[in-house]
Amino acid sequence: MNILVINCGSSSLKYQLIDSASEKVLAKGLCERIGIDGALTHQPAGKEKIKLTPAMPDHTVAIKLVLEQLTDAQNGVVKSLDEISAVGHRVVHGGEKFTSSCIITDEVIKEIEACNVFAPLHNPACLIGINACKELMPGLPMVAVFDTAFHQTMPAKAYLYALPHEYYEKYGIRRYGFHGTSHQFVSAKTAEILGKKPEDLKIIVCHLGNGASLSAVKYGKCIDTSMGLTPLEGLVMGTRSGDLDPAILEFIANQENMTLGEVMDILNKKSGVYGLSGVSSDFRDVKAAADEGNKWAAYALEVHRYRVAKYIGAYAAAMNGVDAIAFTAGLGENDGETRAEICGYLGYLGAKIDEERNRVHGEEAIISADDSKVKLLCVPTNEELMIARNTAALL
Ligand code: ADP
């Protein structure tokens, strides 16, 4: 059956139509600048990419345009909407309520709304996408797949912050974690590549993209992850600071005469490798600058890699060992140098990278030497496929 996967942002919408039996992508595309002017890129499998600039005042119009493209006589990949069996929606925050994907009902929509407070930029956009699909394809089954759900197996010792406990009880302040769909996909794929069952393995997944997070997956279940209440905690990211001393917020606010909101903006949008290097949030630009002798660019890369290595050490301790470490997402899949530098810290675990195998870009591969005690892997993530699988499973 064909599953339409929708990933809604506040002004963008990514989609893929996936045949769940063959797991082939029939078409994919992106709507950008929704509510501004509108741009649609549609890529039917095996055909030319189409770029359009129709008026796109809101998400309902954007989805209508996507459905028109999917069923278009020339560019389409299905004859009619009847050939779409369900829609799978990526939802960023599911709070504690959602521990797995679920069929979307009016009740579920209300529960997602209740989680808006944790992801005020992302969740409302997901809901707009859900409501737009409901309006355009009434009666079609829809499934919500949450970024937080895979991490709901964390024990209290991993998800509780050492704050007055009434903040957890009153407001739900705790670690939730994100990129769950990716961590779920990559940990399962890692086991498959190694020819083992997830229940027999201790795996650390390093999702290193612009946003970045690590997870400790013990015997198939997530027991810890680096992002927290929001996606700001943990690793150094493209523009996000990751972990820091919370007292820094007040210090910057006082010194720079800023509001807390303005400081948060710095931490979310102007920090990370971008802020530290002063060059770019794109690791390729930072690397190029470092190669040309830019000291701050070199520091940015070092700080980024060192933080990942420290988290790997923490998670190896949390699981009392690690069998496999998988690298994924833009940087993790493509940048052998970053992988090698991180693994350079892991000699005490008996982890040994194989230089030749580590040359891979965006391909599934074991990149550790034969005598490495820990298997090291490059595993391209596929969140859309995971959403399609979860959607198909629920139908
Ligand atoms: P997100 O989904 O969080 O926006 P991605 O997973 O797409 O991020 O990763 C984007 C990052 O991956 C970019 O910042 C870029 O620096 C990095 N990246 C992509 N390809 C390469 C490459 N070939 N070498 C080094 N870095 C790369």
Side-chain angles (χ1 to χ4, degrees):
M1 76 187 129
N2 298 330
I3 313 274
L4 178 60
V5 175
I6 301 255
N7 181 351
C8 251
S10 53
S11 67
S12 69
L13 183 158
K14 287 188 217 152
Y15 62 93
Q16 286 195 8
L17 187 67
I18 297 176
D19 173 2
S20 65
S22 66
E23 300 203 328
K24 286 215 171 91
V25 177
L26 305 178
K28 64 180 176 182
L30 168 69
C31 299
E32 290 173 287
R33 302 175 63 81
I34 301 171
I36 306 167
D37 41 17
L40 170 65
T41 312
H42 178 70
Q43 173 74 73
K47 290 189 198 166
E48 287 279 300
K49 191 185 268 182
I50 297 132
K51 289 192 173 181
L52 304 166
T53 49
M56 221 181 268
D58 56 41
H59 287 71
T60 309
V61 174
I63 293 175
K64 194 158 178 272
L65 290 162
V66 169
L67 298 179
E68 276 170 20
Q69 284 304 313
L70 291 172
T71 53
D72 185 78
Q74 288 221 305
N75 312 325
V77 290
V78 289
K79 288 202 187 73
S80 78
L81 292 182
D82 295 343
E83 291 179 39
I84 300 178
S85 305
V87 185
H89 290 271
R90 176 198 179 207
V91 180
V92 169
H93 217 303
E96 283 190 325
K97 177 75 192 171
F98 297 104
T99 56
S100 60
S101 307
C102 67
I103 302 259
I104 297 176
T105 61
D106 289 344
E107 189 55 34
V108 166
I109 290 178
K110 275 197 206 120
E111 297 282 359
I112 296 173
E113 266 166 9
C115 297
N116 283 1
V117 60
F118 297 126
L121 293 179
H122 295 102
N123 262 28
C126 306
L127 283 163
I128 291 171
I130 290 172
N131 286 323
C133 285
K134 224 171 120 186
E135 189 183 323
L136 295 167
M137 297 172 279
L140 193 68
M142 297 203 288
V143 167
V145 180
F146 300 91
D147 268 25
T148 48
F150 182 63
H151 304 305
Q152 277 295 309
T153 44
M154 279 187 288
K157 66 182 175 187
Y159 71 68
L160 285 178
Y161 290 116
L163 290 166
H165 62 84
E166 51 270 28
Y167 294 148
Y168 168 62
E169 291 166 320
K170 268 203 279 190
Y171 308 121
I173 294 178
R174 51 160 283 179
R175 175 182 312 286
Y176 289 98
F178 298 87
H179 295 139
T181 314
S182 175
H183 288 286
Q184 185 186 16
F185 180 85
V186 173
S187 55
K189 192 57 145 183
T190 298
E192 188 188 316
I193 294 170
L194 296 176
K196 300 222 161 126
K197 290 196 202 118
E199 301 85 67
D200 295 332
L201 291 172
K202 297 172 185 173
I203 302 172
I204 296 175
V205 177
C206 308
H207 179 112
L208 308 178
N210 234 320
S213 65
L214 250 70
S215 67
V217 185
K218 189 176 184 185
Y219 308 143
K221 291 201 168 115
C222 176
I223 62 132
D224 208 344
T225 191
S226 59
M227 282 179 168
L229 174 75
T230 75
L232 182 56
E233 194 181 345
L235 304 176
V236 176
M237 307 182 213
T239 62
R240 282 171 250 168
S241 64
D243 296 341
L244 41 73
D245 179 348
I248 292 172
L249 274 78
E250 189 191 29
F251 194 91
I252 297 177
N254 288 341
Q255 297 295 323
E256 296 274 323
N257 201 17
M258 281 182 183
T259 63
L260 197 53
E262 286 167 337
V263 180
M264 290 306 296
D265 216 48
I266 302 272
L267 263 44
N268 271 306
K269 299 187 185 145
K270 305 215 167 83
S271 299
V273 292
Y274 168 75
L276 199 46
S277 70
V279 173
S280 166
S281 63
D282 191 303
F283 286 84
R284 287 163 290 198
D285 302 337
V286 181
K287 164 95 171 58
D291 288 346
E292 280 166 20
N294 182 319
K295 172 180 90 172
W296 288 106
Y299 278 143
L301 296 177
E302 268 193 302
V303 172
H304 172 269
R305 293 161 182 172
Y306 179 63
R307 181 82 52 90
V308 176
K310 282 209 293 188
Y311 263 95
I312 291 174
Y315 289 170
M319 294 193 289
N320 190 20
V322 53
D323 300 307
I325 300 171
F327 292 91
T328 194
L331 186 67
E333 289 167 23
N334 292 302
D335 188 15
E337 184 186 312
T338 295
R339 292 189 299 249
E341 290 284 332
I342 292 168
C343 293
Y345 287 99
L346 309 178
Y348 69 99
L349 290 172
K352 218 192 274 177
I353 206 158
D354 181 290
E355 234 175 85
E356 201 48 48
R357 292 175 185 165
N358 187 39
R359 287 187 205 281
V360 286
H361 286 272
E363 276 169 61
E364 276 171 26
I366 296 175
I367 55 171
S368 44
D370 290 338
D371 60 346
S372 179
K373 283 202 188 117
V374 182
K375 297 283 183 203
L376 306 168
L377 298 97
C378 173
V379 182
T381 192
N382 195 336
E383 291 164 276
E384 290 77 14
L385 178 57
M386 197 74 230
I387 293 173
R389 278 184 190 164
N390 287 353
T391 303
L394 275 168
L395 295 180

